[in-house]
Amino acid sequence: MDEERDGTRPQTVLLAFLGAYVLGRDVEVATAGVLELLRRAEVSEQAARSTLSRAARRGLLDRTRRGREVYLGLTPLARRVLDDGGDRMWRTGPVNDDWDGSWTLLSYSLPDSWAKQRHALRARLVWAGFGSLRGGLWLAAGPVDVTALVDGLEAAAHLSAFTATALPPTDVDALVRDAWDLDALAGDYARFVRRWSEPGRGPADPLAAQVALEADWLRTIRNDPRLPVRHLPASWPAVGAHDLFLRRHRELAPRAAEVAAEILRVRDAR
């Protein structure tokens, strides 16, 4: 199965674990326990250590030696990233059923040499639910805090944003189909359902399975813009997939917590 689609990338698994067992607890966790979790999630030791090092270099993890152990804690950046992911997973429904009819329009024009900046901007736009209409013109359903969205990006000085409503004779259904790849989004949900509706799929260890489930769901919804339900196909699979995610999580969580208590060495952050 494609690693980019099945949610098993080591970095994604690590972030899912941190969101589930470290975020909001003001604790640090021993590196050895995290490596054991990743091993149970079928991540090689080399890949696991590389993932931890990369996360530290990106400013997501603080490393502190306490005696013979190295403990990992969350940085402010990590908390922001994980809080955002947690909102998507637990506090935001899979479809937008209370849309007010407004759109956020954003346009930008960057120098040709700004490939890195363009990539960073587009990644944030996709995460925030924007779809590309054409060229440098992007569209999102409902209000978006654009200032917060582009905070810290060099490209921020090169864009303009507006609130708009569609006027006749605009075909909004066609607009949605043009700006977003609905077939690809639906395919991601279908793949999630195929994987997690089959008994025995995923790691055998309940903690690793829970983390893999959350990682896979986060990857599934990462590119979903939560479009207005009135402009989605009647057979849109997001709601059914979300119900499956919640059901499987309820099944795994109690046993996963028991395993976590056994293998993770946790201490208060200082």
Side-chain angles (χ1 to χ4, degrees):
M1 186 176 293
D2 184 354
E3 190 180 64
E4 288 292 323
R5 290 290 185 182
D6 70 7
T8 57
R9 289 181 61 205
Q11 177 178 297
T12 312
V13 174
L14 174 65
L15 291 175
F17 160 73
L18 294 172
Y21 288 94
V22 182
L23 181 66
R25 299 178 59 194
D26 197 25
V27 298
E28 300 170 333
V29 60
T31 300
V34 180
L35 291 174
E36 173 62 14
L37 162 70
L38 293 173
R39 184 191 68 79
R40 294 179 181 217
E42 302 173 2
V43 177
S44 70
E45 182 174 356
Q46 179 180 358
R49 291 187 180 277
S50 175
T51 298
L52 294 181
S53 296
R54 193 159 50 245
R57 289 196 302 271
R58 291 179 56 203
L60 297 173
L61 291 177
D62 279 329
R63 287 173 161 175
T64 306
R65 180 170 291 279
R66 304 191 184 279
R68 301 177 65 180
E69 289 275 14
V70 175
Y71 282 79
L72 303 173
L74 299 180
T75 66
L77 172 60
R79 293 188 184 95
R80 290 196 299 272
V81 170
L82 295 173
D83 277 334
D84 195 10
D87 284 339
R88 290 289 185 93
M89 292 180 66
W90 305 112
R91 293 177 284 279
T92 301
V95 295
N96 188 339
D97 54 9
D98 59 355
W99 180 53
D100 64 1
S102 70
W103 299 90
T104 299
L105 285 173
L106 186 146
S107 67
Y108 63 85
S109 179
L110 302 180
D112 292 340
S113 59
W114 281 30
K116 183 178 180 181
Q117 293 90 333
R118 184 176 291 104
H119 175 78
L121 175 59
R122 288 177 175 174
R124 291 204 193 180
L125 291 177
V126 170
W127 175 253
F130 281 84
S132 177
L133 282 176
R134 61 186 63 86
L137 183 62
W138 291 67
L139 177 76
V144 176
D145 185 347
V146 176
T147 300
L149 173 64
V150 300
D151 182 45
L153 292 182
E154 292 182 72
H158 296 262
L159 58 84
S160 301
F162 309 88
T163 297
T165 55
L167 299 175
T170 304
D171 183 340
V172 178
D173 287 357
L175 188 75
V176 167
R177 290 193 301 270
D178 288 342
W180 291 275
D181 188 342
L182 298 185
D183 288 341
L185 293 171
D188 283 344
Y189 284 113
R191 175 205 50 77
F192 180 89
V193 170
R194 286 195 302 272
R195 184 183 189 201
W196 291 101
S197 61
E198 298 177 18
R201 291 300 300 269
D205 179 87
L207 175 58
Q210 179 202 2
V211 171
L213 174 71
E214 293 188 16
D216 198 8
W217 181 246
L218 188 58
R219 290 193 65 80
T220 299
I221 63 176
R222 184 180 65 178
N223 294 327
D224 188 338
R226 291 191 73 249
L227 295 167
V229 66
R230 73 183 76 165
H231 297 298
L232 290 170
S235 58
W236 193 244
V239 174
H242 185 238
D243 290 343
L244 173 62
F245 165 70
L246 294 177
R247 184 171 68 253
R248 291 301 306 272
H249 191 272
R250 286 193 298 268
E251 295 168 355
L252 290 167
R255 291 178 295 144
E258 294 174 359
V259 175
E262 293 174 3
I263 71 169
L264 300 176
R265 291 192 292 280
V266 176
R267 59 177 294 157
D268 292 338
R270 294 180 182 175

